[in-house]
Amino acid sequence: MNAKRCDATVAWAALQGHYQAHGRDLDLREAFARDPQRFNAFALQAPEVFADLSKNRWDLLTRKLLIELARETGLEARRDAMFAGEPINTTEGRAVLHTALRAPRGQALFSDEVHGVLDRLFDFAEAVRDTGSSGIRHVVNIGIGGSDLGPQMVVPALDAYAHPGITMHFVSNVDGHDITPVLRKLKPAQTLFIIASKTFTTQETMANAAVARQWFLDQGGTDIGRHFVGATTNLTAAAEFGIHTTFGFWDWVGGRYSLWSAVGLAIAIAVGSERFSELLAGAHAMDRHFADAPLEANLPVQLGLLDVWYRNFHHFTSRSVAPYHQGLKRLPAYLQQLEMESNGKQVSLDGQSLPYGTSPVVWGEPGTNGQHAYFQMLHQGTEVIPVEFIAVKHPSHPHLDLHAKALANCLAQSQALMLGKTTEAALAERAPTASATLGKLTVARHRSFPGNRPSTTLLLDKLTPRALGALIAMYEHRVFTSGAVWGINSFDQWGVELGKALAGNLLPRLTAAEVDGSGLDASTAGLLARLKA
Ligand code: F6P
């Protein structure tokens, strides 16, 4: 691939000039006043997802230069290499083929393997869903990171399609406060445990699985082979644990890209194989869009490039996600792993330190809860934080009055962030709750909003399995885009290793009879001593 590092491209230099001349001071209110077509110019329809990108601090030239940046940094070649199964995860020598997991039969690499597992997984899920025969009323997914966040996000999002007689539980944390209240609700004969772990070695998951197995036996459970199943690439370790039913996947599926694989078993049980297939079909439609749409009309590409513009030129360090659909309550947590584990990197593909920022902090809560917590800071704080609103046109509940209120709030927040309120406008208003002893101008200054705060609004027609699949795939490819422009490996996660190794060293010191702080830094030794006192 004949790609240049982003900061060595012609487009990067042009973007720097453009930022100084126009970008930094672009005022959204003026931009809309100047161009009545601005909404249309920055509207994009991708499969299942409509995006309004017009309330962002960019103009047509910014977008053109960003697309040139994508071309100069070899985004298209890198994308094609991913779909072709080249080992683009260079530090682990692996292909990156989560797109193959959702391709129709015969249309992607490894199709026979993928559909072989899917067929078995669907048969199994349907058998569990036949609660009259299976007797299963509770399903517990034990996994962490990518083996937890995907199913844990999708299951509530598709609650409208969920099996009414099966309760889904998720246990991830090695802290026993996670599994203990879950076990309290269960009876062995009615429970299926899914041990989801790509490696089947992750400390948290193995520890919780062992607790679950012991609980099962202690409560008189008789058939571990029937009540524990595995979703893993490590079939040998699963067998050693006592699991006979395993659904495999492959090293070319990254943990945070694995909900489409056997790791999605909890989803397939919750919503059924037909709905799971629709989830895959939605993701596949977005894959085709990402692969085929010109960069100018390519939604994941546009979003990824906007992230680069904000991170490296505006120097915004975070992005807030505000889904106005309670079903998407775990989406911000899911996106944290997807984006920050993928793009939280400090060296280029060839190991050189990078002089520019990479992954922003991604965070958020569902609207309207976030409004009553941290939106104050988004509106009047000193940092500019781009916000991503997600609105769904048709609800999956009958309370249309509530739905209208949720949508009104969603639109109002992006409007308020952009429009702001001048001190003059605040002065002209009555402020009945303001202190009478403070000067009017002082009160007005407290009550004014700078505005010009950027946001994107994503619209779905309905939160169907297909739409959700497309939305998640859109995020995956957006992360791919910014990672490709930054020239980093978005598919490894060495940053989690050091803490794991140090915990391995500390664990015996915590369980030993004597305090042993030898060789530790003074802070860790002091904390250890207090914990053991
Ligand atoms: O947090 C590191 C990580 O390797 C993630 O990438 C992964 O999703 C998670 O741990 C769980 O790993 P496993 O599925 O192997 O248990």
Side-chain angles (χ1 to χ4, degrees):
M1 268 173 266
N2 192 14
K4 280 193 196 145
R5 201 172 85 175
C6 56
D7 58 340
T9 59
V10 176
W12 188 273
L15 280 161
Q16 274 175 329
H18 177 60
Y19 175 75
Q20 296 300 337
H22 304 286
R24 187 181 43 206
D25 298 326
L26 186 144
D27 188 295
L28 289 167
R29 295 154 290 200
E30 289 167 13
F32 273 101
R34 260 197 316 273
D35 180 7
Q37 286 307 313
R38 186 175 168 87
F39 174 75
N40 293 331
F42 290 99
L44 246 176
Q45 179 68 60
E48 304 288 335
V49 187
F50 171 83
D52 170 20
L53 302 167
S54 65
K55 289 199 194 85
N56 282 295
R57 280 160 65 167
W58 63 349
D59 57 20
L60 293 173
L61 180 56
T62 323
R63 189 166 67 179
K64 182 170 169 290
L65 292 174
L66 285 168
I67 289 169
E68 284 171 18
L69 178 68
R71 294 218 160 93
E72 270 191 272
T73 50
L75 169 68
E76 288 153 304
R78 199 162 165 73
R79 174 196 63 192
D80 297 347
M82 173 177 73
F83 280 103
E86 288 175 32
I88 62 165
N89 174 359
T90 47
T91 57
E92 297 180 302
R94 291 177 183 168
V96 174
L97 275 172
H98 45 277
T99 51
L101 298 169
R102 53 238 190 174
R105 215 176 282 271
Q107 288 190 25
L109 294 165
F110 301 108
S111 185
D112 289 347
E113 290 89 330
V114 165
H115 283 274
V117 172
L118 263 187
D119 290 344
R120 277 205 314 115
L121 185 134
F122 284 171
D123 287 348
F124 182 81
E126 292 305 332
V128 173
R129 286 167 62 78
D130 181 0
T131 51
S133 304
S134 73
I136 298 297
R137 295 289 178 177
H138 294 269
V139 174
V140 187
N141 190 84
I142 298 181
I144 196 163
S147 299
D148 164 68
L149 288 163
Q152 202 191 135
M153 182 266 290
V154 170
V155 166
L158 299 183
D159 179 62
Y161 305 87
H163 191 298
I166 300 180
T167 307
M168 309 298 297
H169 308 269
F170 295 90
V171 171
S172 54
N173 198 333
V174 78
D175 176 5
H177 297 101
D178 199 3
I179 196 167
T180 306
V182 172
L183 293 178
R184 219 181 279 135
K185 299 183 190 113
L186 308 177
K187 292 196 178 78
Q190 297 184 341
T191 304
L192 174 73
F193 291 96
I194 302 172
I195 313 302
S197 175
K198 180 174 168 180
T199 54
F200 225 82
T201 57
T202 303
Q203 185 203 50
E204 292 90 336
T205 303
M206 293 304 103
N208 277 317
V211 168
R213 183 176 53 187
Q214 194 55 50
W215 168 88
F216 183 81
L217 296 172
D218 291 349
Q219 298 296 310
T222 47
D223 193 351
I224 287 190
R226 213 173 79 78
H227 290 272
F228 285 75
V229 298
T232 185
T233 59
N234 188 350
L235 305 185
T236 316
E240 277 163 19
F241 180 90
I243 288 180
H244 310 311
T245 308
T246 35
F247 300 95
F249 57 112
W250 307 272
D251 71 356
W252 41 263
V253 181
R256 51 193 175 275
Y257 300 88
S258 66
L259 74 86
W260 324 98
S261 71
V263 168
L265 176 59
I267 303 171
I269 293 174
V271 302
S273 47
E274 207 173 308
R275 301 303 192 192
F276 192 89
S277 299
E278 289 163 15
L279 184 82
L280 297 179
H284 177 66
M286 189 60 78
D287 293 342
R288 294 319 317 155
H289 170 80
F290 180 54
D292 299 335
L295 301 189
E296 291 73 9
N298 197 310
L299 181 55
V301 170
Q302 300 272 312
L303 289 168
L305 292 176
L306 195 49
D307 292 337
V308 171
W309 174 240
Y310 281 157
R311 186 73 188 90
N312 303 120
F313 297 90
H314 282 278
H315 299 293
F316 300 152
T317 54
S318 91
R319 189 175 81 248
S320 188
V321 184
Y324 278 69
H325 191 301
Q326 186 63 16
L328 294 173
K329 65 184 175 192
R330 295 297 290 163
L331 183 68
Y334 174 81
L335 294 179
Q336 280 175 339
Q337 190 201 16
L338 177 63
E339 192 148 345
M340 293 161 76
E341 199 172 78
S342 295
N343 285 350
K345 309 289 163 65
Q346 56 170 349
V347 296
S348 61
L349 283 168
D350 56 0
Q352 302 301 311
S353 286
L354 296 177
Y356 46 81
T358 55
S359 175
V361 177
V362 180
W363 57 284
E365 281 288 324
T368 57
N369 296 3
Q371 286 173 220
H372 294 272
Y374 53 77
F375 268 57
Q376 162 66 39
M377 186 256 200
L378 298 179
H379 287 291
Q380 289 188 313
T382 49
E383 296 289 311
V384 174
I385 298 175
V387 184
E388 195 157 278
F389 294 96
I390 304 174
V392 180
K393 189 170 166 189
H394 299 293
S396 310
H397 62 73
H399 309 292
L400 297 185
D401 49 340
L402 290 180
H403 187 62
K405 289 186 172 77
L407 288 183
N409 272 283
C410 180
L411 292 182
Q413 289 301 321
S414 72
Q415 209 182 12
L417 285 166
M418 175 175 76
L419 296 180
K421 189 199 286 182
T422 61
T423 306
E424 292 69 42
L427 255 182
E429 284 175 354
R430 286 184 62 245
T433 59
S435 164
T437 58
L438 267 187
K440 279 197 155 73
L441 185 58
T442 306
V443 171
R445 286 197 178 125
H446 282 275
R447 300 183 72 251
S448 68
F449 294 64
N452 201 27
R453 302 221 156 172
S455 68
T456 293
T457 300
L458 302 172
L459 285 187
L460 307 181
D461 216 40
K462 194 165 182 212
L463 194 55
T464 58
R466 195 180 161 86
L468 183 64
L471 182 74
I472 303 167
M474 179 205 79
Y475 278 112
E476 290 176 345
H477 298 320
R478 169 211 202 136
V479 169
F480 182 96
T481 298
S482 51
V485 170
W486 286 324
I488 58 181
N489 184 356
S490 302
F491 300 102
D492 60 13
Q493 55 283 320
W494 301 106
V496 299
E497 297 300 328
L498 179 59
K500 282 190 201 170
L502 295 182
N505 173 15
L506 288 168
L507 181 59
R509 298 184 196 241
L510 272 160
T511 50
E514 299 299 314
V515 182
D516 174 13
S518 57
L520 296 179
D521 62 89
S523 165
T524 309
L527 291 168
L528 181 70
R530 286 191 80 97
L531 284 168
K532 290 196 62 78

